[in-house]
Amino acid sequence: MKNSQVAVLSAVIIAAALIVAGSNWMLVRNLRRELAAPPASGSTASTVSAHTGRKAVIAMMPKAKGDPYFISCRKGAEDAAAELGVDLIWDGPTDLDPAKQNEVVEGWITKGVDCIAVSVENQAGISTVLRKARARGIRVITWDADSQPDARDFLINQATPQGIGYALTDEAARILSGKGEFAIVTASLSAANQNEWIKHIKARLSERYPEMKLVAIRPSDGDRDRAFAETQTILKVYPSAKLIMGIAAPAVPGAAEAVKQSGRSDVKVIGLSLPGMCKAYVHDGIIDSVVLWNTLDLGYLTVYASRSLVDGDLKPGVASLSAGRLGNVEVLGDQVMLGAPFIFNRDNIDKFDF
């Protein structure tokens, strides 16, 4: 072979090698970009582990970390996280503080978690930062209490607001025989979910119980002692009120203790709370019934739905979601439904330990 031919052949080999190397470099660079970039908020996300080999990170926030209601939700969330093999971050305010919720979400955006799940204290206040999270490609779920709809992907709904409001009102009507005065002790006057329940309580009164009168709505700030004090005031200012309806977990036993200390055997307490917080008062005959749902299941379902959302299995148009021990749960539009409210009373309350 002539020297000129050797030179040409060598040049061809070198050029081919450079082309292959360049192609590999471009492939690696593009792959790195794809891995680094979060999915667009409107697209279907791919399984995190399939792309990066790491666990999905789900950041879950209660309204208040010390509230027994949310402590029980956390247990269910941790059970689901262990089953699914995801990293669960549980954080939030120590009391009802909308500004602190925003601050924690900002930190999660910086951290780059895969999904944020929030029990919202102030609907308008947190929606802006949740929209920011979605714009960064982070999936967003609300649970227990909702944000503005365009600020999240799905709501995990423990029961419809109408179902809760109607169940509470029907229980009150049963105890009062459809007539008389009652008062409500809520969490805070700005709490979105409580205000939605109150709206349906008022609608049910107007529709079916015109002889019943709601005389007062007082805030407890999610604090049992504040609920105790507010109930004492209600009993003094409205002596004809024969029922106190607590619609926050600590408010029900707080109200019950105030009724107990007042010696008013003619006043009954009902509301939304944890069975474990109310058992003694139920057996004493002060609390007649507790309307709630299984809080362990609420936390559990929230983590299952969050993981399904990250994986792309939970998306607009699906009618059901597979959720571990809960089986298939119904999806109505942009809401994942836990189920109907449950009524705890003297006959069944000892069967539950949360």
Side-chain angles (χ1 to χ4, degrees), residues 43-343:
S43 64
T44 301
S46 299
T47 306
V48 171
S49 58
H51 280 310
T52 65
R54 67 173 176 81
K55 293 181 178 180
V57 179
I58 296 169
M60 190 168 172
M61 186 189 301
K63 288 183 180 179
K65 289 191 293 186
D67 188 326
Y69 172 92
F70 290 108
I71 291 172
S72 64
C73 292
R74 180 178 183 175
K75 175 63 169 61
E78 290 174 341
D79 289 346
E83 289 178 18
L84 293 169
V86 303
D87 284 336
L88 177 66
I89 301 173
W90 178 273
D91 197 11
T94 55
D95 51 19
L96 299 176
D97 184 351
K100 179 63 175 178
Q101 283 201 322
N102 286 16
E103 179 184 325
V104 173
V105 171
E106 288 281 7
W108 288 341
I109 292 172
T110 301
K111 186 179 179 67
V113 301
D114 298 298
C115 184
I116 292 173
V118 181
S119 175
V120 174
E121 169 57 25
N122 184 287
Q123 187 178 69
I126 202 170
S127 291
T128 298
V129 73
L130 293 181
R131 292 187 192 98
K132 178 180 177 181
R134 295 188 75 200
R136 301 287 180 88
I138 298 172
R139 298 303 197 184
V140 174
I141 273 180
T142 53
W143 60 283
D144 178 68
D146 201 8
S147 66
Q148 294 171 347
D150 68 335
R152 46 77 173 162
D153 294 285
F154 284 87
L155 162 68
I156 311 304
N157 199 338
Q158 63 271 31
T160 65
Q162 183 185 73
I164 294 166
Y166 282 16
L168 286 166
T169 311
D170 291 345
E171 278 296 286
R174 179 183 62 79
I175 294 165
L176 296 175
S177 298
K179 58 184 178 180
E181 297 181 353
F182 73 101
I184 289 175
V185 180
T186 184
S188 73
L189 296 179
S190 65
N193 56 336
Q194 274 94 355
N195 286 339
E196 188 72 8
W197 299 337
I198 291 170
K199 181 181 77 174
H200 290 290
I201 289 168
K202 291 179 177 179
R204 190 68 160 176
L205 289 174
S206 177
E207 173 192 319
R208 293 193 59 175
Y209 307 111
E211 295 186 68
M212 288 175 59
K213 183 180 180 182
L214 174 58
V215 296
I217 301 173
R218 301 299 304 162
S220 66
D221 295 329
D223 180 76
R224 181 170 172 159
D225 291 338
R226 174 76 185 272
F228 172 86
E230 292 290 349
T231 302
Q232 285 185 316
T233 300
I234 290 168
L235 294 175
K236 291 176 183 177
V237 177
Y238 304 99
S240 297
K242 297 300 176 67
L243 184 137
I244 307 296
M245 180 188 292
I247 58 172
V252 181
E257 183 61 29
V259 171
K260 180 179 180 179
Q261 292 191 24
S262 75
R264 292 279 302 274
S265 59
D266 60 326
V267 178
K268 296 297 182 183
V269 176
I270 66 168
L272 284 117
S273 188
L274 300 179
M277 298 175 70
C278 300
K279 283 181 183 179
Y281 296 108
V282 169
H283 289 304
D284 286 344
I286 299 168
I287 295 176
D288 188 278
S289 56
V290 177
V291 178
L292 195 63
W293 43 87
N294 190 320
T295 51
L296 293 167
D297 288 348
L298 177 58
Y300 182 92
L301 177 58
T302 298
V303 171
Y304 256 87
S306 297
R307 177 56 191 266
S308 294
L309 184 61
V310 170
D311 287 352
D313 297 325
L314 177 58
K315 55 190 175 183
V318 302
S320 65
L321 171 70
S322 178
R325 69 183 186 218
L326 302 181
N328 288 328
V329 298
E330 187 178 17
V331 181
L332 295 175
D334 60 359
Q335 298 189 21
V336 182
M337 308 302 298
L338 179 62
F342 184 84
I343 296 176

